[in-house]
Amino acid sequence: MRIQKLLSFLVLLLVTTNAIAQFPLGLGRKYDQPKDAIVSYERPQEYTISKITVSGVKFLDPNTLISVSGLNINDKISIPGERISTAIRRLMEQGIIEDVSINITKVELDKVELDIHLRERPRLNKFVFKGIRKGEIDAVSEKVKANKGKVITDALIKNIQLTIKRVYIEKGFLNTSVQIKQISDTIRANNAALIVTIDKKSKVKIDDIQLVGVTQMPDYKVLSKLKGTKIKAPLRIFTPSKFIPKKFEEDKEKIVEYYNKKGFRDAQVTSDSVISTNGNNIRLVLNINEGNRFYYRNITWTGNYLRKTKDLETILGIKKGDVYNPEELNKKINGIPQGDVSSAYMDDGYLFFQCEPVEVAVEGDSIDIEMRIREGKQATINRIILNGNTKTSDHVVMRELLTRPGQKFSKTDLIETQQTLSRLGYFDPQKIEPKPIPQADGTVDIEYNVEEKPSDNIELSGGWGGLQGFVGTFGVVFNNFSARNINNFKKWKPLPAGDGQRLALRLQASGRFYQTYSLSFTEPWLGGKKPNSFGISIFHTSSDNRGYQRALERQYGANAALFTGGLGGFNTGFFKNTGGSITYGKRLNWPDRNFSFNASLSYQRYNVDNSFFIPGFQKGVANDLSVAFVLSRYSLDNPQFTRSGSQFTLNATFNPPYSLFRETPVTDKFKWIEGHKWMFDGDWYVPVVGKLVFHAKANMGFLGKYSQNADFSPFGRFILGGAGMGMQNAMNVGADLIGLRGYDEGVVRELSYDEAEKLRTSDGSVTLSRLGGIVYSKYASELRYPVSLNPQATIFVLAFAEAGNSWGSYKDFNPFKLRRTAGIGARIFMPAFGLIGLDFGQGFDPIPGITNRGLKAFTFSIGQQIR
């Protein structure tokens, strides 16, 4: 029995040993080995590699794979041995291979041929998203689309999961789960799709924020610095409550910055806790160490040889006992153009100037500061480099630069040049980047990087106007036109551009009933050497009411007369206005470089018959020859969304004083219009906090006459109300339209008792829509906040309060009797259409006797309005 067991054991041992000896090298599938490729794990043999091949791959490079394995031809290796195991491990570590086996394909004496057989991981072909809406799918796909075409590895899947989670965490969905499943692509070989199942769960909101250790400052002040971390509240719209870890970290830094500004230089958020509450929300606890409040004691200056200490102290404007504020200190050293310490040096060429404030003593609550100055040498501008102007000619940009080769470097000139380029309207104001590049010889190159943006406007519309028939409008404004390339058809895109000239054309027509045409051209640099502008414009407007009468007769026959009603001869009249102007402008260097002066000569001819368009002038021919002078100052930093600066304009227009030289028959007193007209427009912008901007403006106008016996001209009066652009047809001519939101178009006019009685109709109402005044005043204030600063669509919202009125005589003029209104609105600037305005206002002073009391809640406007 024992002998039989012993024999059985020996046979089993022999069979097992032989099986081990026949195993191929490597992992994975078994391959038939040559008969002489007998591998014994008990007796490793040394071979020389004579050949290495790679099999099973479709996309990977065989030579690269051999190099990664570490095996080389003519290497001596032991089989089995550590080199084979290491080669397999190195290939697997690349993360792009799913399976590897190394097999012997041939053995001759001590030579061996090896084959590295691999199975590649599939490449990512597409994503399939589940659990979210289509709109969300587009947003998530945008974040992960860059992974398409990559080899699917565990690391890739993990990165995709984290990327998608981050998308939802930034929206406040902290508990989002992302599951990814890989499926083979049945159409494309070695490709796979990832099925991504997203469960974003509920948004995590903040029930409460608790401040611990806050004693020196009011809690609400500290909480207000948490711009992106807000407690949930029913009326919270613009900054909804959601917890985003990244914004929370930024907000903690803002708290510390706030304390630093108030003199607490050692303040810090020592710790914070995020505590889950019922309903999947959280409660935040912030532990704050305020420290002590510090004050300036002594401020000394060293290294200043070119500027007196007393002058630098005046510029710095910090006195002993002021609250210590490092941010304000740095701003007064190097942050306020023309008003900081660095400008005192850099505006005189000292580009390499440096000023380092150093705390040299801290005693109790007082800090001594030493201002260490290195003045350096003056730098001269060597050359100007311009990049990014793909459409605008170089000379158009270069002529606007205040920094020129050979001049001393000036920080103020650099900043004002940036503002000047932004006012051109050809470049994205957010992308204009001036960059000084110091040179080894002490000079400096200045590089201006700009990015073109659309600057042309087009207006194309049409509609059916009832009896008027089809009304069509076509208008185009080329703000960067090139007249010199008008004969070069290769430059037409759609017209030649790049020389900074302005060409505007507008046509509007409704058959013979109403037609208007206008054409204008402006050259901003007449002669090309100086910024002296020259402009010319012509226009013609015709409204033939006889066409309206004929339309009534065609439609109603003998009953057409019923529709003329109280209009008298209106339907048989006509109105024509033809004119043109020549303008010359000049930039001024005094009182500063922001001033400019324009003078223009214009002529208009009015031909009116049975028309109520111009109150006080229903029939006859009137000629308006005038000269106008405009003095203005413009310093806005950005014409689309202005954050700072001002704009002031004084306009004076004069007709010749005909009545002083000859007697004019009463029946022909307006054949040649006379008088003078004065208008003032002022706008002022200042940043409030963050992106919030305060805008204040004032507008006023006056009509005057040379003789007490003459009448005020019926032309050029002020029509107040609405968007300041209503009645966009022939009813616009001969008047200045002034906007006043919250009221209907043209109804804001203070009437004397006699005027009201003359205008009162049989039903007791009063019509003011075209009356106009000889004097007006208007005041407004706005708070503006940008929603988008993209040059393709600049959008901002606003809240406004304004008041204004117009008067028909100076006897009734009362600048304190104004129609008040307030409301909210939005502005959308698109290069193709200009500025579009939407406002909702409430007038507080209804106008008696006017339909709907003269109030109009919604106001729409298009085009840049200055009044």
Side-chain angles (χ1 to χ4, degrees):
M1 187 73 175
R2 291 181 179 178
I3 294 174
Q4 290 178 343
K5 291 182 177 180
L6 179 61
L7 291 173
S8 299
F9 174 75
L10 292 173
V11 171
L12 180 62
L13 179 63
L14 180 62
V15 172
T16 305
T17 304
N18 187 57
I20 294 173
Q22 295 301 319
F23 246 84
L25 298 177
L27 304 173
R29 294 172 52 192
K30 296 181 181 180
Y31 288 82
D32 294 333
Q33 303 295 311
K35 294 181 180 180
D36 55 352
I38 305 300
V39 177
S40 173
Y41 285 90
E42 294 180 351
R43 296 185 300 278
Q45 297 185 39
E46 188 174 82
Y47 294 93
T48 299
I49 301 175
S50 60
K51 184 179 180 180
I52 303 175
T53 58
V54 176
S55 61
V57 297
K58 297 180 180 179
F59 301 98
L60 300 176
D61 179 53
N63 293 327
T64 302
L65 293 170
I66 293 172
S67 177
V68 170
S69 73
L71 300 176
N72 300 290
I73 295 176
N74 297 325
D75 282 359
K76 294 184 179 296
I77 62 171
S78 294
I79 300 178
E82 185 66 26
R83 289 285 299 278
I84 298 296
S85 301
T86 300
I88 293 173
R89 186 178 67 252
R90 292 179 65 174
L91 289 167
M92 292 296 293
E93 285 175 350
Q94 302 307 307
I96 58 176
I97 298 169
E98 196 168 27
D99 192 17
V100 180
S101 64
I102 300 179
N103 305 295
I104 297 174
T105 57
K106 186 176 181 180
V107 176
E108 290 184 358
L109 300 176
D110 64 342
K111 306 289 186 182
V112 63
E113 296 181 6
L114 301 178
D115 176 70
I116 303 175
H117 185 80
L118 308 102
R119 186 164 72 247
E120 297 172 310
R121 288 182 180 270
R123 293 179 179 273
L124 177 57
N125 181 34
K126 65 178 181 179
F127 291 97
V128 178
F129 294 97
K130 295 183 177 181
I132 55 176
R133 300 188 305 270
K134 185 180 185 307
E136 296 178 78
I137 290 176
D138 294 339
V140 174
S141 297
E142 187 66 24
K143 294 292 184 181
V144 298
K145 68 179 183 180
N147 295 295
K148 287 185 177 180
K150 293 184 178 180
V151 175
I152 299 176
T153 64
D154 294 340
L156 181 72
I157 292 176
K158 188 68 175 177
N159 286 337
I160 292 172
Q161 284 180 318
L162 292 175
T163 299
I164 295 174
K165 282 187 176 182
R166 196 176 298 119
V167 170
Y168 284 96
I169 287 174
E170 289 177 356
K171 296 179 180 179
F173 298 93
L174 268 64
N175 301 319
T176 299
S177 68
V178 180
Q179 302 296 327
I180 298 180
K181 180 181 178 181
Q182 178 180 326
I183 59 172
S184 299
D185 192 325
T186 57
I187 299 177
R188 298 186 180 184
N190 206 45
N191 276 257
L194 294 182
I195 299 177
V196 183
T197 303
I198 301 173
D199 182 4
K200 61 183 181 181
K201 297 183 171 60
S202 298
K203 184 179 290 186
V204 174
K205 297 185 178 182
I206 304 169
D207 286 332
D208 185 34
I209 301 177
Q210 182 180 352
L211 302 177
V212 179
V214 176
T215 58
Q216 301 287 336
M217 306 300 295
D219 282 8
Y220 77 91
K221 285 279 191 181
V222 179
L223 290 172
S224 69
K225 304 307 167 186
L226 301 172
K227 302 296 184 182
T229 309
K230 298 291 186 181
I231 301 173
K232 67 176 183 178
L235 298 179
R236 195 177 299 284
I237 299 174
F238 296 108
T239 54
S241 174
K242 55 185 176 181
F243 181 74
I244 301 174
K246 181 180 178 181
K247 286 190 176 293
F248 182 50
E249 294 300 320
E250 294 173 354
D251 286 343
K252 289 192 293 184
E253 294 178 3
K254 290 175 182 176
I255 289 177
V256 175
E257 291 173 2
Y258 169 69
Y259 271 99
N260 291 161
K261 291 178 183 179
K262 298 299 181 181
F264 298 91
R265 67 189 285 272
D266 299 326
Q268 58 181 325
V269 179
T270 56
S271 64
D272 63 82
S273 302
V274 181
I275 304 170
S276 297
T277 62
N278 295 331
N280 199 41
N281 292 338
I282 61 171
R283 178 167 59 91
L284 299 178
V285 179
L286 293 174
N287 292 290
I288 299 175
N289 180 11
E290 295 177 316
N292 298 322
R293 175 175 277 171
F294 289 85
Y295 302 86
Y296 292 104
R297 186 170 62 180
N298 298 315
I299 298 179
T300 57
W301 302 78
T302 62
N304 56 306
Y305 303 104
L306 299 170
R307 300 290 183 266
K308 295 179 181 179
T309 298
K310 184 177 181 180
D311 294 338
L312 295 177
E313 289 176 344
T314 301
I315 295 172
L316 188 67
I318 296 177
K319 299 178 181 179
K320 183 176 182 179
D322 288 351
V323 173
Y324 180 69
N325 185 343
E327 181 178 321
E328 182 188 30
L329 178 65
N330 288 325
K331 185 182 292 185
K332 290 187 175 183
I333 293 173
N334 190 20
I336 308 172
Q338 297 179 309
D340 58 0
V341 174
S342 69
S343 293
Y345 282 91
M346 290 190 178
D347 284 352
D348 196 25
Y350 292 93
L351 171 64
F352 308 103
F353 161 83
Q354 292 182 358
C355 179
E356 181 183 2
V358 179
E359 297 180 4
V360 293
V362 179
E363 296 181 6
D365 63 354
S366 300
I367 297 178
D368 291 343
I369 301 292
E370 182 177 275
M371 311 291 282
R372 298 176 181 175
I373 290 178
R374 291 185 289 274
E375 295 175 327
K377 297 181 179 180
Q378 284 182 313
T380 302
I381 299 174
N382 178 40
R383 61 179 182 142
I384 303 296
I385 304 168
L386 181 61
N387 300 319
N389 56 315
T390 55
K391 177 181 177 182
T392 306
S393 301
D394 284 356
H395 74 274
V396 173
V397 183
M398 291 296 188
R399 69 192 185 188
E400 300 291 344
L401 304 183
L402 300 174
T403 55
R404 301 180 184 276
Q407 293 180 349
K408 288 187 295 185
F409 176 82
S410 170
K411 175 184 174 182
T412 298
D413 286 350
L414 197 69
I415 294 171
E416 290 187 359
T417 296
Q418 183 178 8
Q419 295 174 349
T420 300
L421 293 180
S422 122
R423 293 172 200 157
L424 291 176
Y426 311 148
F427 310 114
D428 180 359
Q430 312 298 323
K431 302 291 180 64
I432 299 175
E433 180 186 1
K435 182 180 178 182
I437 306 175
Q439 302 299 304
D441 60 358
T443 62
V444 58
D445 293 343
I446 300 182
E447 181 179 79
Y448 288 95
N449 296 297
V450 298
E451 183 177 305
E452 298 268 9
K453 74 179 185 68
S455 59
D456 301 328
N457 301 331
I458 188 169
E459 179 185 4
L460 185 61
S461 63
W464 188 260
L467 291 172
Q468 301 176 25
F470 180 79
V471 179
T473 303
F474 172 76
V476 62
V477 179
F478 294 95
N479 288 303
N480 197 1
F481 181 67
S482 175
R484 66 187 176 95
N485 289 316
I486 196 71
N487 294 325
N488 187 352
F489 293 102
K490 293 181 180 180
K491 301 285 187 179
W492 285 54
K493 297 180 181 179
L495 284 179
D499 284 345
Q501 298 159 342
R502 186 179 188 272
L503 178 67
L505 171 67
R506 190 173 190 272
L507 315 172
Q508 188 178 55
S510 175
R512 295 177 60 186
F513 175 72
Y514 170 67
Q515 297 176 357
T516 181
Y517 317 97
S518 64
L519 176 67
S520 66
F521 173 79
T522 302
E523 166 57 72
W525 283 66
L526 184 63
K529 295 183 179 180
K530 294 183 178 181
N532 300 330
S533 63
F534 174 79
I536 184 170
S537 66
I538 55 175
F539 66 88
H540 172 72
T541 297
S542 173
S543 180
D544 191 342
N545 302 321
R546 293 170 293 186
Y548 184 57
Q549 175 68 24
R550 287 191 292 269
L552 286 171
E553 291 173 353
R554 286 194 301 270
Q555 185 164 351
Y556 298 104
N559 295 323
L562 297 174
F563 293 87
T564 61
L567 296 177
F570 161 69
N571 288 318
T572 61
F574 61 84
F575 176 94
K576 296 181 180 180
N577 177 224
T578 304
S581 66
I582 297 175
T583 303
Y584 177 80
K586 182 179 179 62
R587 296 186 194 176
L588 304 178
N589 293 320
W590 186 88
D592 61 39
R593 290 186 296 217
N594 295 314
F595 278 85
S596 63
F597 175 79
N598 290 334
S600 63
L601 176 66
S602 64
Y603 169 77
Q604 296 185 64
R605 183 178 188 274
Y606 299 94
N607 188 358
V608 181
D609 181 41
N610 291 330
S611 174
F612 78 129
F613 292 156
I614 306 295
F617 191 83
Q618 281 76 43
K619 185 178 179 64
V621 174
N623 298 276
D624 185 355
L625 177 66
S626 64
V627 59
F629 303 99
V630 180
L631 180 65
S632 62
R633 186 182 188 276
Y634 184 101
S635 62
L636 304 184
D637 65 335
N638 185 337
Q640 273 74 55
F641 181 76
T642 306
R643 294 182 177 86
S644 63
S646 60
Q647 179 179 7
F648 299 99
T649 302
L650 177 62
N651 188 322
T653 305
F654 302 93
N655 299 115
Y658 304 109
S659 62
L660 298 182
F661 304 114
R662 61 182 174 85
E663 281 292 334
T664 303
V666 177
T667 56
D668 203 17
K669 58 184 177 180
F670 295 130
K671 181 177 181 179
W672 288 94
I673 300 170
E674 71 167 66
H676 49 92
K677 182 177 181 179
W678 302 79
M679 300 185 72
F680 173 79
D681 302 292
D683 291 83
W684 178 62
Y685 298 83
V686 62
V688 179
V689 60
K691 297 179 180 180
L692 191 66
V693 174
F694 175 74
H695 171 212
K697 64 179 180 177
N699 311 94
M700 56 193 68
F702 310 90
L703 286 182
K705 56 185 180 178
Y706 301 114
S707 171
Q708 293 294 329
N709 298 324
D711 291 334
F712 286 103
S713 171
F715 300 92
R717 298 203 173 199
F718 308 108
I719 299 177
L720 189 61
M725 61 174 297
M727 302 172 288
Q728 291 283 3
N729 52 30
M731 301 179 71
N732 253 356
V733 299
D736 279 290
L737 301 180
I738 315 297
L740 189 66
R741 294 164 286 190
Y743 291 90
D744 206 349
E745 306 288 345
V747 301
V748 182
R749 166 77 147 78
E750 200 65 31
L751 293 176
S752 66
Y753 176 81
D754 292 339
E755 285 181 317
E757 289 304 311
K758 289 179 181 180
L759 295 170
R760 197 173 306 279
T761 61
S762 58
D763 63 358
S765 63
V766 176
T767 300
L768 292 176
S769 61
R770 285 293 299 174
L771 190 59
I774 64 171
V775 57
Y776 92 96
S777 62
K778 173 190 166 184
Y779 311 93
S781 61
E782 293 179 343
L783 283 174
R784 298 181 168 193
Y785 188 84
V787 176
S788 168
L789 295 177
N790 187 324
Q792 302 299 326
T794 302
I795 305 172
F796 61 89
V797 294
L798 57 89
F800 68 86
E802 60 186 10
N805 209 345
S806 66
W807 295 266
S809 70
Y810 287 101
K811 180 179 63 175
D812 299 323
F813 174 58
N814 182 352
F816 301 103
K817 189 174 184 180
L818 304 173
R819 306 287 180 181
R820 300 164 298 167
T821 178
I824 58 175
R827 295 292 181 272
I828 304 170
F829 179 85
M830 292 186 290
F833 301 102
L835 188 66
I836 299 173
L838 304 171
D839 294 287
F840 187 88
Q842 174 63 55
F844 300 119
D845 301 295
I847 302 174
I850 303 295
T851 305
N852 298 324
R853 299 184 298 170
L855 303 181
K856 182 181 179 182
F858 180 75
T859 302
F860 171 80
S861 62
I862 185 168
Q864 185 74 36
Q865 302 295 309
I866 64 171
R867 298 185 180 91

